Amino acid sequence: MKSLQELKAIYERMHPMMAVRGGGQDSTNTYERHVLVCGGTGCISSGCQKIVDAMHEELKKHGKDEKVQIIKTGCFGLCALGPIVIVYPEESFYSMVTPECVGKIVEGHLVGGNPVKELLYEETVKGDEITSLSETGFYKKQMRVSLRNCGVIDPENIEEYIAYEGYAALGKVLTELKPPDVIQIIKDSGIRGRGGGGFPTGIKWGFAAMVESDQKYIACNADEGDPGAFMDRSILEGDPHSVLEAMAIAGYAIGANRGFIYVRAEYPIAIDRLIIAINQAREYGVLGTNIFGTGFDFDVELRLGAGAFVCGEETALIASIEGFRGEPRPRPPFPAVKGLFGKPTVLNNVETYANIPQIILKGGEWFKSFGTEKSAGTKVFALGGKIKNIGLVEVPMGITLREIIEEIGGGIPDGKQFKAAQTGGPSGGCIPMSLIDTKIDYDNLLEIGSMMGSGGLIVMDEDNCMVDIAKFFLEFTVEESCGKCTPCRVGTQRLYEMLERISEGKGCLEDIEKMKELSAFIKENSLCGLGQTAPNPVLSTLMYFEDEYKAHILDKKCPAAVCEKLLSIVVVPEKCKGCTLCKRVCPVDCIIGETKEIHVIEQDKCIKCGACIDKCPFKAIIKQ
């Protein structure tokens, strides 16, 4: 067990070395450069370990293996460009690196001292000048608080976390603050739960602190289930100690000595790094008994979920930890009063906890100094869909959707037009082009028919069908409903059936009003948040894209040419050259025409596979 003084000594020893990663110099002269290789799930799947292995081999070949430190970090954010390598102190950003590129980087940059321009991320190269990564469009407007250490430290080395003020916040609360003082700082910060509901975190902690009990618990919701969401996973992979430290702080604040992290089993890298972090934290005495000699005890256990979306709801998550089927329970009583094993429990998600150490160190007013009046701080979004810069972003609350899409996201690829953005996943709604200048915060999103959710942000272009989008999210909810209450179990299924009929051209105008009525009933009568928010994608697309629904119903056409039953694949006569390539690849022989003749597709035989579209070199075959 290490004392607080010993942790401070680790900080004083490690921090000067880590200064290189801020563009400074290594005062210990141990390493000439630090090479950071993204070790998040995306880059691991792209082969980042091969990059690390090749880097070690090349450095050894040039006699530089003891002068360059190679670190596998968490996610840098620009997931579409992986594998990613950053060389410090120059902060040179190499994207889409292959093992074949490594030799050039080592010889040219790590040995020769000159960044290899042709391998650098294109936005960092402007003529002869190489700009800082922080000056690129993707990073310029970001503000990293909960992601502050992701892509900066080795998540499997507790001393690197300590070098960036890790566990200093825990030391501060245990030696300088009383539990009510801690809760007041969290209240003053204005931080709201980042898991979707947006309930004020300080108030939740205050409720649990007031309840007298022989046992209290701290729980972390890492059961990230929204399609396209990977915010919490990235924090756990890149900075697991920040969550452990925050949970210990919460435990001190409410009088709890045990914590549980509920993480889905589909996150093997996050789980492995959490296990390493927990073991290291126990070894260094920041988890366990008598932390820093203050008499405070706190330890953490992992619980693996089986991937049920409903277990993201707090009472269902609690039931699952207890060993029961993951089903929601009526509230009140709320978990802060009667939660895990019937005891007072504070439950926050990963991103919420990741903010806590910085709030303690810098103060509530600091956190409240950015964001908006009712939505303080930053929010992490998983930016995906029809967007150039797919990845993970952290922005101040109050930034506009346009800034995220056009500046950070780099706009819509292939010259297509922005159509809508879905926030909040299956619980959220679609934001149309007319509202692209909406400032993103909890209240504004609710006002326009969407919600913050955990942070998924899916961008859609002109080729997306909004009926199909609503159907996609509702189908997910139908499959993930636990079935405990009838409004959700039956109501969402009936709603999905109406959408399916409309997408097949079998709907009628009365279906629109029926869907609105049924959605209202499901929202008002479902037991938990899953059912209460399930109709949101339907209601928001009806609100902003009702004409698209009517086109499916009245014209039997899908304007975006997505809904298969309403599609026709046709030959554009003026473009057809009669090359017969389409005819040769058609699996059902439905294309008529001889060489140098205009071809025709027999619609009653066509299975709409699209093989002819892919093969035609003249773009003469289209969906309509």
Side-chain angles (χ1 to χ4, degrees), residues 63-83:
K64 285 281 188 178
D65 49 316
E66 293 185 2
K67 288 296 182 180
V68 177
Q69 185 181 30
I70 301 173
I71 298 295
K72 195 158 71 171
T73 71
C75 179
F76 292 120
L78 262 171
C79 303
L81 297 179

Side-chain angles (χ1 to χ4, degrees), residues 137-156:
F138 183 77
Y139 286 103
K140 190 181 294 183
K141 290 200 170 182
Q142 289 196 51
M143 185 174 187
R144 292 165 78 88
V145 180
S146 57
L147 296 179
R148 63 193 176 278
N149 291 330
C150 292
V152 177
I153 67 170
D154 177 356
E156 298 182 13

Side-chain angles (χ1 to χ4, degrees), residues 362-599:
K362 297 183 178 180
E365 289 304 315
W366 165 80
F367 190 78
K368 211 169 184 177
S369 67
F370 43 94
T372 64
E373 183 181 354
K374 295 183 179 180
S375 299
T378 60
K379 182 72 189 78
V380 180
F381 289 100
L383 192 58
K386 307 290 186 66
I387 192 81
K388 181 183 176 184
N389 295 331
I390 293 173
L392 202 65
V393 304
E394 184 171 6
V395 292
M397 294 279 196
I399 194 170
T400 66
L401 184 60
R402 184 188 296 276
E403 289 173 285
I404 294 176
I405 292 170
E406 295 182 358
E407 297 181 44
I408 296 173
I412 315 299
D414 304 320
K416 300 285 187 177
Q417 294 297 310
F418 169 74
K419 186 173 186 177
Q422 172 88 3
T423 65
S427 303
C430 290
I431 304 170
M433 177 65 192
S434 59
L435 296 174
I436 195 172
D437 291 308
T438 298
K439 291 185 176 181
I440 303 296
D441 67 15
Y442 289 99
D443 300 322
N444 285 345
L445 289 180
L446 287 174
E447 190 176 324
I448 61 175
S450 189
M451 65 183 296
M452 186 74 71
S454 58
L457 202 165
I458 309 298
V459 179
M460 290 161 271
D461 68 11
E462 60 198 74
D463 293 334
N464 286 105
C465 168
M466 304 316 291
V467 177
D468 185 64
I469 290 294
K471 192 172 76 167
F472 167 79
F473 283 112
L474 195 62
E475 182 180 20
F476 177 85
T477 307
V478 169
E479 291 179 355
E480 293 294 336
S481 173
C482 73
K484 186 171 184 177
C485 70
T486 304
C488 178
R489 182 183 70 249
V490 179
T492 55
Q493 179 63 41
R494 296 294 170 265
L495 199 56
Y496 176 77
E497 289 166 0
M498 290 186 207
L499 282 173
E500 195 163 37
R501 286 201 303 271
I502 291 171
S503 69
E504 293 175 352
K506 299 175 183 176
C508 58
L509 284 176
E510 289 78 10
D511 287 335
I512 292 178
E513 290 307 314
K514 286 180 182 177
M515 285 195 296
K516 291 177 181 178
E517 290 174 12
L518 181 54
S519 293
F521 179 84
I522 295 169
K523 287 175 73 72
E524 290 170 10
N525 294 283
S526 291
L527 177 60
C528 80
L530 186 147
Q532 291 162 9
T533 58
N536 284 351
V538 179
L539 291 173
S540 67
T541 51
L542 280 171
M543 183 186 303
Y544 300 116
F545 300 97
E546 189 169 324
D547 288 347
E548 207 159 314
Y549 279 84
K550 288 179 177 177
H552 285 69
I553 294 168
L554 299 176
D555 303 331
K556 310 300 180 187
K557 290 284 185 183
C558 174
V562 169
C563 297
E564 188 176 306
K565 294 290 179 68
L566 301 180
L567 279 184
S568 296
I569 295 181
V570 298
V571 176
V572 180
E574 54 269 28
K575 289 186 177 182
C576 181
K577 307 298 182 184
C579 69
T580 74
L581 283 175
C582 60
K583 185 177 179 180
R584 279 181 263 169
V585 299
C586 179
V588 292
D589 296 322
C590 71
I591 302 179
I592 303 170
E594 299 301 324
T595 304
K596 296 186 179 180
E597 290 182 355
I598 294 172
H599 288 37

Side-chain angles (χ1 to χ4, degrees), residues 118-139:
E118 66 266 26
L119 299 178
L120 291 171
Y121 175 44
E122 60 183 5
E123 285 194 32
T124 64
V125 181
K126 298 179 180 177
D128 294 331
E129 183 184 358
I130 299 174
T131 62
S132 166
L133 184 61
S134 58
E135 291 302 309
T136 62
F138 183 77
Y139 286 103

Side-chain angles (χ1 to χ4, degrees), residues 176-250:
E176 300 177 24
L177 301 173
K178 300 294 184 185
D181 300 329
V182 177
I183 293 172
Q184 191 58 52
I185 291 172
I186 303 304
K187 287 181 178 178
D188 291 344
S189 74
I191 185 171
R192 296 168 65 171
R194 266 41 178 173
F199 190 81
T201 303
I203 293 176
K204 181 184 285 189
W205 290 19
F207 286 154
M210 287 189 295
V211 181
E212 292 188 9
S213 178
D214 59 336
Q215 180 68 58
K216 296 181 182 181
Y217 297 102
I218 302 297
C220 174
N221 181 355
D223 189 64
E224 189 172 47
D226 288 12
F230 52 97
M231 301 75 60
D232 292 350
R233 186 196 75 202
S234 295
I235 293 172
L236 293 177
E237 290 176 353
D239 193 18
H241 285 284
S242 66
V243 176
L244 301 182
E245 181 177 14
M247 291 178 69
I249 291 169

